[in-house]
Amino acid sequence: PCFFKPVRKGKAMDVPELSLMNINHRYYSIETFFKAASEAGYRNIELWTGSMHLYVDCHEHDSVDKIRDLAARYGIKIVCVCPEQNNPKPWNVAVRGEAGQKRILSYFKNVIDVAVELGAPQILVTSGWAYLDEPAEDAWARSVAMLRSVCDYADSRGIRVALEALQPSESVLVNTAQDVARILADVDRPNLKACIDFGAMEVAGDTIDSYFEVLGDKIVHTHFVDVGGGTTHLAWGDGERDMRADLEALMRHGYTGYASAETCDGRYYRDPSKATTQVIEMYRRVTAEMEAE
């Protein structure tokens, strides 16, 4: 089996299970993604709602029957739904204006409904983005108000909401672990938790340890990627991070969520399965080394 609890000195270790995102398969069908994930040995996926795989907007969403059937056929669990939501996509959590805010809430309600229909326990959100010609605090207030509404609907449907930081090139609102803690406190909803995105974490100068120091058990999800050479969402082995050190840091803090591979770079689009396999093979090698000690 791909996933197991390695034993060190007679004690089981809770190694975070891998999950795979379909974002790297954007030029392939969703069937090809499920097949590639299964053949590589993945048993969990995070479903990115790219329109080529599952269309969602503020009015409707595609039937999830096909994705549900593929998950059952390949023995794969959907552990999170990650909707499109950042500039230049229209689904900005910090959107201006009553009409825009009505659309955004309807969009996220549809995303939450998709998660419910697929049996996924959570969705992924960001703070949204501010216009650079307005005070950032104005957009912050809009983001907080929208996130409260999204969380309230999610709570009514039994869904958890995990929020990740963005890089400064994407948004000036939530970039650091401290920013994540602040917005969670301002939104003040029990089902709003934190996701560590390793790319945003490194750009901000944060670490896994600093995230847990600030957020503790509020961290329920990770976007688990290698980083290097100025690129933040690489397949493991193509950057400069130490997978073993990162897994051990998560374990040291008692992390019980998934390590979700958000491999996303143009170099992988032609042959995403190669990167998919590279990540899981490295994971297997590292966890086998941990087991042997």
Side-chain angles (χ1 to χ4, degrees), residues 22-29 52-53 266 269-270 272:
N22 53 309
I23 193 167
N24 219 30
H25 278 74
R26 63 183 64 192
Y27 291 104
Y28 289 84
S29 68
M52 73 295 294
H53 291 164
Y269 292 162
R270 284 279 184 181

mmCIF file of all heavy atoms in Angstrom, residues 22-29 52-53 266 269-270 272:
data_model
loop_
_atom_site.group_PDB
_atom_site.id
_atom_site.type_symbol
_atom_site.label_atom_id
_atom_site.label_comp_id
_atom_site.label_asym_id
_atom_site.label_seq_id
_atom_site.Cartn_x
_atom_site.Cartn_y
_atom_site.Cartn_z
ATOM 1 N N ASN A 22 -5.529 18.288 -9.253
ATOM 2 C CA ASN A 22 -5.666 18.146 -10.710
ATOM 3 C C ASN A 22 -5.234 19.380 -11.479
ATOM 4 O O ASN A 22 -5.282 19.401 -12.710
ATOM 5 C CB ASN A 22 -7.113 17.811 -11.077
ATOM 6 C CG ASN A 22 -8.121 18.790 -10.480
ATOM 7 O OD1 ASN A 22 -8.093 19.055 -9.276
ATOM 8 N ND2 ASN A 22 -9.014 19.313 -11.301
ATOM 9 N N ILE A 23 -4.758 20.404 -10.794
ATOM 10 C CA ILE A 23 -4.421 21.676 -11.434
ATOM 11 C C ILE A 23 -3.335 21.525 -12.496
ATOM 12 O O ILE A 23 -3.299 22.261 -13.480
ATOM 13 C CB ILE A 23 -4.018 22.711 -10.356
ATOM 14 C CG1 ILE A 23 -3.971 24.120 -10.929
ATOM 15 C CG2 ILE A 23 -2.701 22.319 -9.661
ATOM 16 C CD1 ILE A 23 -3.891 25.195 -9.859
ATOM 17 N N ASN A 24 -2.461 20.545 -12.327
ATOM 18 C CA ASN A 24 -1.375 20.322 -13.279
ATOM 19 C C ASN A 24 -1.844 19.589 -14.541
ATOM 20 O O ASN A 24 -1.124 19.552 -15.534
ATOM 21 C CB ASN A 24 -0.267 19.507 -12.600
ATOM 22 C CG ASN A 24 1.110 19.963 -12.986
ATOM 23 O OD1 ASN A 24 1.317 21.135 -13.278
ATOM 24 N ND2 ASN A 24 2.058 19.050 -12.983
ATOM 25 N N HIS A 25 -3.048 19.027 -14.481
ATOM 26 C CA HIS A 25 -3.615 18.293 -15.621
ATOM 27 C C HIS A 25 -4.598 19.158 -16.420
ATOM 28 O O HIS A 25 -5.520 18.638 -17.044
ATOM 29 C CB HIS A 25 -4.323 17.024 -15.128
ATOM 30 C CG HIS A 25 -3.401 15.874 -14.880
ATOM 31 N ND1 HIS A 25 -2.553 15.824 -13.793
ATOM 32 C CD2 HIS A 25 -3.194 14.741 -15.579
ATOM 33 C CE1 HIS A 25 -1.867 14.687 -13.826
ATOM 34 N NE2 HIS A 25 -2.233 14.017 -14.899
ATOM 35 N N ARG A 26 -4.406 20.448 -16.407
ATOM 36 C CA ARG A 26 -5.373 21.357 -17.022
ATOM 37 C C ARG A 26 -5.521 21.160 -18.529
ATOM 38 O O ARG A 26 -6.527 21.568 -19.111
ATOM 39 C CB ARG A 26 -4.998 22.811 -16.724
ATOM 40 C CG ARG A 26 -3.653 23.243 -17.292
ATOM 41 C CD ARG A 26 -3.325 24.665 -16.882
ATOM 42 N NE ARG A 26 -3.172 24.780 -15.433
ATOM 43 C CZ ARG A 26 -3.121 25.957 -14.791
ATOM 44 N NH1 ARG A 26 -3.227 27.081 -15.449
ATOM 45 N NH2 ARG A 26 -2.957 25.973 -13.490
ATOM 46 N N TYR A 27 -4.551 20.547 -19.174
ATOM 47 C CA TYR A 27 -4.663 20.281 -20.610
ATOM 48 C C TYR A 27 -5.045 18.831 -20.901
ATOM 49 O O TYR A 27 -4.911 18.365 -22.035
ATOM 50 C CB TYR A 27 -3.364 20.651 -21.322
ATOM 51 C CG TYR A 27 -3.136 22.145 -21.344
ATOM 52 C CD1 TYR A 27 -2.208 22.740 -20.480
ATOM 53 C CD2 TYR A 27 -3.847 22.979 -22.199
ATOM 54 C CE1 TYR A 27 -2.002 24.110 -20.479
ATOM 55 C CE2 TYR A 27 -3.652 24.350 -22.207
ATOM 56 C CZ TYR A 27 -2.726 24.908 -21.350
ATOM 57 O OH TYR A 27 -2.530 26.270 -21.345
ATOM 58 N N TYR A 28 -5.511 18.130 -19.879
ATOM 59 C CA TYR A 28 -5.968 16.750 -20.017
ATOM 60 C C TYR A 28 -7.356 16.617 -19.403
ATOM 61 O O TYR A 28 -7.781 17.448 -18.595
ATOM 62 C CB TYR A 28 -4.996 15.783 -19.323
ATOM 63 C CG TYR A 28 -3.686 15.641 -20.047
ATOM 64 C CD1 TYR A 28 -2.657 16.558 -19.841
ATOM 65 C CD2 TYR A 28 -3.475 14.619 -20.960
ATOM 66 C CE1 TYR A 28 -1.445 16.452 -20.507
ATOM 67 C CE2 TYR A 28 -2.263 14.492 -21.630
ATOM 68 C CZ TYR A 28 -1.258 15.416 -21.405
ATOM 69 O OH TYR A 28 -0.071 15.308 -22.088
ATOM 70 N N SER A 29 -8.054 15.579 -19.768
ATOM 71 C CA SER A 29 -9.393 15.351 -19.234
ATOM 72 C C SER A 29 -9.310 14.926 -17.773
ATOM 73 O O SER A 29 -8.277 14.431 -17.297
ATOM 74 C CB SER A 29 -10.112 14.269 -20.040
ATOM 75 O OG SER A 29 -9.488 13.009 -19.840
ATOM 76 N N MET A 52 -12.317 23.287 -17.123
ATOM 77 C CA MET A 52 -12.140 22.141 -18.017
ATOM 78 C C MET A 52 -12.442 20.821 -17.327
ATOM 79 O O MET A 52 -12.633 19.800 -17.982
ATOM 80 C CB MET A 52 -10.714 22.136 -18.601
ATOM 81 C CG MET A 52 -9.595 21.755 -17.644
ATOM 82 S SD MET A 52 -9.348 22.924 -16.264
ATOM 83 C CE MET A 52 -8.798 24.372 -17.170
ATOM 84 N N HIS A 53 -12.507 20.826 -16.000
ATOM 85 C CA HIS A 53 -12.766 19.612 -15.229
ATOM 86 C C HIS A 53 -14.115 19.640 -14.508
ATOM 87 O O HIS A 53 -14.824 18.639 -14.476
ATOM 88 C CB HIS A 53 -11.642 19.380 -14.220
ATOM 89 C CG HIS A 53 -10.342 19.003 -14.854
ATOM 90 N ND1 HIS A 53 -9.138 19.062 -14.172
ATOM 91 C CD2 HIS A 53 -10.044 18.563 -16.107
ATOM 92 C CE1 HIS A 53 -8.164 18.671 -14.981
ATOM 93 N NE2 HIS A 53 -8.689 18.374 -16.157
ATOM 94 N N GLY A 266 4.219 25.675 -15.659
ATOM 95 C CA GLY A 266 4.087 25.389 -17.077
ATOM 96 C C GLY A 266 4.987 24.281 -17.585
ATOM 97 O O GLY A 266 4.652 23.605 -18.568
ATOM 98 N N TYR A 269 3.001 20.900 -17.784
ATOM 99 C CA TYR A 269 1.680 20.770 -18.398
ATOM 100 C C TYR A 269 1.626 19.723 -19.503
ATOM 101 O O TYR A 269 0.610 19.062 -19.695
ATOM 102 C CB TYR A 269 1.203 22.114 -18.941
ATOM 103 C CG TYR A 269 0.892 23.144 -17.874
ATOM 104 C CD1 TYR A 269 0.812 24.502 -18.197
ATOM 105 C CD2 TYR A 269 0.674 22.777 -16.551
ATOM 106 C CE1 TYR A 269 0.528 25.450 -17.225
ATOM 107 C CE2 TYR A 269 0.396 23.722 -15.578
ATOM 108 C CZ TYR A 269 0.320 25.063 -15.922
ATOM 109 O OH TYR A 269 0.039 26.002 -14.962
ATOM 110 N N ARG A 270 2.705 19.556 -20.262
ATOM 111 C CA ARG A 270 2.716 18.568 -21.344
ATOM 112 C C ARG A 270 2.706 17.145 -20.804
ATOM 113 O O ARG A 270 2.096 16.260 -21.401
ATOM 114 C CB ARG A 270 3.946 18.763 -22.231
ATOM 115 C CG ARG A 270 3.870 19.938 -23.172
ATOM 116 C CD ARG A 270 3.073 19.578 -24.400
ATOM 117 N NE ARG A 270 3.054 20.670 -25.364
ATOM 118 C CZ ARG A 270 2.403 20.619 -26.523
ATOM 119 N NH1 ARG A 270 1.736 19.526 -26.845
ATOM 120 N NH2 ARG A 270 2.408 21.653 -27.337
ATOM 121 N N PRO A 272 2.131 15.940 -17.173
ATOM 122 C CA PRO A 272 1.915 16.075 -15.730
ATOM 123 C C PRO A 272 2.092 14.773 -14.973
ATOM 124 O O PRO A 272 2.434 14.781 -13.785
ATOM 125 C CB PRO A 272 0.478 16.580 -15.635
ATOM 126 C CG PRO A 272 -0.174 16.129 -16.908
ATOM 127 C CD PRO A 272 0.906 16.203 -17.945
#
